[in-house]
Amino acid sequence: MADAIVAEGLFRRFGSTVALDGLDLTVREGTVTGLLGPNGAGKTTAVRVLSTLLRPDSGCAVVAGLDVRTDAVKLRGRIGLSGQYAAIDDDLTARENLTMIGRLYHLGAAASVKRADELLERFDLTQHANRRVKGYSGGMRRRVDLACAVVSKPEVLFLDEPTTGLDVRSRIGMWEVIGELVRGGSTLLLTTQYLEEADQLADRIAVVDHGRVIAEGTSEELKARISGERLELTVATPAEVSTARTLLREIAQGAITVDEEHNHVIVPVDDGPQALVAGIRLLDDAHVRLVGADLRRPSLDEVFLALTARHIPVLDAADERGHAVGMVSAKTKEQVK
């Protein structure tokens, strides 16, 4: 596979604020790369530079074989962009929005209508095609916006936090649509603050902080950067959480973290199966009531927090797993190899 996106040393400043500080990034054709990072890390600025909406102060970038500086006009006909906010006309219907985009891409009247009908069916919007967009739900608006972004069948598609603000059902529906685009051969660069979204969709993940890529790899490769396994024990009452935490220090291989709301105690361990048995025995001997036990590898949440050493608001993602992100401490940075 060739490279669909190559960025080297991208630098962009807004006044005294450095948004991109030597960002390097490579995305292979036909793959999905997820950009993860805290608010203000430079994700959106990177997308805007790569999609020709912003000129970098320095550095270079090539997308679909075209330079973002010198070939910007030509490149815009070969890429698609769905930003953080749906860029559609509320006073038009979904069909009218899509047809208008087709005409702007010079597809011609008949071809624009045909393409609009194809996308309305593909994005499950046919029965609402003739309603004004202003009456759509948030999930439907995002589907229309994404459909508009692929009217021209772009070689490279940029999705900037495409599911932000959507409920769980709408987000899963959007994942299905994005999956179809990938299976159709599209190359995607996806920014997101939902860690499970990157885990679900991305072939590779680039963690961005302070305008630079600070780590890159597959989800499993990034998880491997935090050693050991995690023993998750759930006790019966909040009062027993503190006792369990004290007892489990005997087997812990790092900082123990807790989620007092759910009575979880999370213990980093090296030999998982043996640690699980030892932990249960410790609690049983002290008459601490255990209602749940699990052994798992580090999550992408923990990798992210370890790499960036800061907490970010990803509560929606945590709620879907039944856990609170707050139980993960930035102290896990100490465990990064």
Side-chain angles (χ1 to χ4, degrees):
M1 292 185 294
D3 294 329
I5 301 173
V6 179
E8 297 179 351
L10 290 181
F11 185 91
R12 188 61 161 85
R13 179 192 295 272
F14 298 96
S16 60
T17 300
V18 176
L20 297 180
D21 190 15
L23 183 135
D24 298 319
L25 181 68
T26 300
V27 177
R28 303 290 281 174
E29 285 184 354
T31 65
V32 180
T33 292
L35 286 187
L36 291 182
N39 288 331
K43 305 185 301 296
T44 294
T45 302
V47 166
R48 294 180 69 188
V49 168
L50 294 171
S51 60
T52 75
L53 296 180
L54 278 177
R55 288 179 62 87
D57 295 328
S58 61
C60 60
V62 174
V63 178
L66 299 172
D67 188 282
V68 298
R69 290 174 179 266
T70 59
D71 300 313
V73 174
K74 186 176 181 181
L75 177 58
R76 287 169 193 152
R78 297 171 63 175
I79 61 175
L81 170 65
S82 179
Q84 292 184 21
Y85 305 100
I88 50 182
D89 192 324
D90 284 349
D91 291 323
L92 298 181
T93 66
R95 176 174 279 111
E96 289 169 342
N97 268 283
L98 291 166
T99 302
M100 176 183 68
I101 296 297
R103 297 297 297 272
L104 290 173
Y105 273 104
H106 306 291
L107 299 184
S112 295
V113 171
K114 181 180 179 181
R115 181 61 173 157
D117 288 339
E118 291 173 356
L119 291 171
L120 288 167
E121 181 176 356
R122 185 175 187 182
F123 285 80
D124 193 24
L125 291 165
T126 302
Q127 64 179 1
H128 307 288
N130 296 315
R131 285 176 50 199
R132 290 189 180 184
V133 171
K134 66 172 61 176
Y136 282 15
S137 66
M140 290 171 61
R141 289 173 58 85
R142 293 303 290 171
R143 293 207 303 273
V144 174
D145 187 57
L146 185 54
C148 287
V150 298
V151 166
S152 65
K153 301 180 181 179
E155 297 176 37
V156 180
L157 181 60
F158 297 96
L159 304 179
D160 193 7
E161 300 190 12
T163 63
T164 295
L166 299 185
D167 60 29
V168 175
R169 185 181 300 277
S170 296
R171 190 179 307 148
I172 293 173
M174 186 64 75
W175 290 357
E176 293 173 353
V177 169
I178 292 171
E180 289 180 10
L181 294 173
V182 176
R183 290 189 291 274
S186 297
T187 300
L188 270 65
L189 181 63
L190 169 78
T191 78
T192 181
Q193 289 192 46
Y194 298 123
L195 296 144
E196 90 287 3
E197 185 162 86
D199 216 350
Q200 174 84 14
L201 297 174
D203 299 300
R204 294 184 65 80
I205 297 169
V207 181
V208 180
D209 201 14
H210 300 294
R212 299 183 300 274
V213 173
I214 61 173
E216 189 174 4
T218 65
S219 176
E220 291 305 310
E221 288 170 348
L222 291 177
K223 290 173 184 177
R225 296 185 64 154
I226 297 182
S227 62
E229 297 171 287
R230 298 295 181 270
L231 181 59
E232 288 191 1
L233 301 173
T234 305
V235 296
T237 66
E240 292 171 295
V241 170
S242 179
T243 302
R245 183 175 188 173
T246 300
L247 291 169
L248 294 169
R249 286 174 183 163
E250 182 177 325
I251 62 172
Q253 299 297 315
I256 297 176
T257 55
V258 301
D259 170 19
E260 295 181 354
E261 181 181 354
H262 297 93
N263 300 334
H264 293 314
V265 182
I266 302 160
V267 188
V269 295
D270 283 338
D271 191 335
Q274 289 190 14
L276 177 60
V277 173
I280 292 174
R281 284 176 177 168
L282 285 169
L283 298 183
D284 185 59
D285 290 344
H287 305 291
V288 175
R289 292 168 295 171
L290 186 66
V291 297
D294 190 20
L295 186 66
R296 62 171 178 80
R297 296 189 61 190
S299 68
L300 196 56
D301 298 42
E302 291 165 309
V303 174
F304 181 88
L305 293 171
L307 291 170
T308 61
R310 63 172 88 173
H311 292 274
I312 63 169
V314 287
L315 293 179
D316 286 342
D319 289 344
E320 289 165 24
R321 294 190 306 275
H323 299 302
V325 173
M327 66 187 176
V328 181
S329 170
K331 291 182 180 179
T332 51
K333 182 179 180 183
E334 300 170 1
Q335 298 168 317
V336 178
K337 290 183 176 180

